[in-house]
Amino acid sequence: MRKHLCILLTAWLCCSLPVCAQTQADSVACLDTIASEEQTGDKPVFHPKQLIFPAAAITLGVIGTTTQVGKDVNREVRDALRYRNHKIKADDYLQYLPVASVYGLSLLGAPAKHDYLERTVITATAYATMGILVNSVKSIAKVKRPDSNSRHSFPSGHTATAFMGAELVRQEYGTWYGLGAYTVATAIGVARLYNDRHWASDVLAGAGFGVLSAKVGYWLFPYTGRLLQKITKKKKENASLVPFYTGGSGGIAFSYCF
């Protein structure tokens, strides 16, 4: 049992940390390099190494769901982490904390790379991608939950939501804020295991799909951003404020052409 737990934790750490990290300083420098390569101004650039974490996490999740060794590890992790007295209820709400931080951190003074409207477009794209991926895989895989007969266990939607938000925070605000958001997301994943709602493989795959979805939001932003510019520009051109004065009264008239 301990052997399998050690293998799982080692795999998780290998997926979570950059390959080039040797010291703490090197790790931060590596993460900053990846972030700068992922996005130059408003033109995110795709690099294959951006897929390392999501691909590794999803692959480990699939292995855990489809192989006997993986299923044995799932059961051992379940026995080790499953609640003994009371379930944690906060995970149903805290899963949205990283996503909320995409907006909340800038309200607290942290500089973001995009304005509120642009962040909304990126987040909406990421959320739509995540919803399609997670729900499609759930309906195809039909993995039984550890605590019920429901067959919507793989992958974990809560974990996907939390990791999607964490990656959005990292790309918007940088490494240190990202580490905090990823810590929260990891806690959500552990809570899903503790509550016996998911297998370890569900959580791993959920984390992978969440990060992948956030990256898709940025990869597509050159296109969704242009659409946003056209819409906002059209609204500005069609709307006008005109001051007027007639006799003893005056004011400002607003007009909008549909």
Side-chain angles (χ1 to χ4, degrees):
M1 173 178 172
R2 291 183 179 177
K3 180 180 178 182
H4 285 154
L5 282 174
C6 289
I7 293 173
L8 178 69
L9 292 174
T10 303
W12 179 271
L13 289 173
C14 288
C15 290
S16 301
L17 295 176
V19 216
C20 57
Q22 296 176 346
T23 66
Q24 183 179 8
D26 291 337
S27 176
V28 173
C30 178
L31 285 170
D32 287 337
T33 300
I34 293 174
S36 64
E37 288 179 347
E38 285 177 346
Q39 181 171 316
T40 305
D42 286 331
K43 296 181 179 179
V45 180
F46 171 80
H47 289 281
K49 65 183 176 183
Q50 296 171 20
L51 293 174
I52 291 176
F53 173 79
I58 293 170
T59 300
L60 286 172
V62 171
I63 291 173
T65 302
T66 57
T67 67
Q68 188 57 48
V69 173
K71 292 177 181 178
D72 290 341
V73 173
N74 276 337
R75 293 190 188 94
E76 291 177 2
V77 173
R78 179 198 186 194
D79 292 340
L81 296 180
R82 185 171 49 176
Y83 70 96
R84 296 294 181 266
N85 296 312
H86 301 287
K87 288 187 177 183
I88 299 172
K89 297 181 180 179
D91 55 329
D92 287 334
Y93 310 101
L94 291 180
Q95 62 172 314
Y96 301 109
L97 181 59
V99 178
S101 299
V102 175
Y103 299 94
L105 286 172
S106 61
L107 292 175
L108 296 175
K113 292 180 180 177
H114 297 89
D115 63 34
Y116 285 103
L117 193 54
E118 291 172 339
R119 269 176 276 165
T120 299
V121 171
I122 293 170
T123 302
T125 305
Y127 213 103
T129 302
M130 184 200 69
I132 293 171
L133 290 175
V134 169
N135 290 318
S136 297
V137 175
K138 278 180 180 289
S139 63
I140 295 172
K142 298 185 183 300
V143 175
K144 184 177 176 294
R145 289 187 186 273
D147 68 337
S148 70
N149 289 323
S150 169
R151 292 193 171 272
H152 294 90
S153 190
F154 181 87
S156 167
H158 283 61
T159 308
T161 299
F163 272 83
M164 179 199 73
E167 179 62 13
L168 291 172
V169 168
R170 186 187 73 82
Q171 293 211 39
E172 280 297 322
Y173 298 98
T175 300
W176 292 112
Y177 287 108
L179 287 174
Y182 267 98
T183 300
V184 173
T186 301
I188 297 300
V190 173
R192 299 306 284 169
L193 297 175
Y194 177 82
N195 286 339
D196 204 28
R197 291 295 288 162
H198 285 287
W199 305 102
S201 55
D202 304 337
V203 170
L204 281 169
F209 282 119
V211 173
L212 177 62
S213 299
K215 291 184 181 298
V216 169
Y218 283 96
W219 292 337
L220 294 181
F221 185 65
Y223 310 102
T224 57
R226 278 200 290 269
L227 179 61
L228 174 65
Q229 288 178 352
K230 289 180 180 179
I231 294 174
T232 54
K233 183 178 179 182
K234 184 177 180 180
K235 285 184 177 180
K236 288 178 180 178
E237 290 175 348
N238 291 344
S240 62
L241 290 174
V242 182
F244 68 89
Y245 180 81
T246 55
S249 63
I252 298 178
F254 173 80
S255 68
Y256 186 88
C257 300
F258 294 92

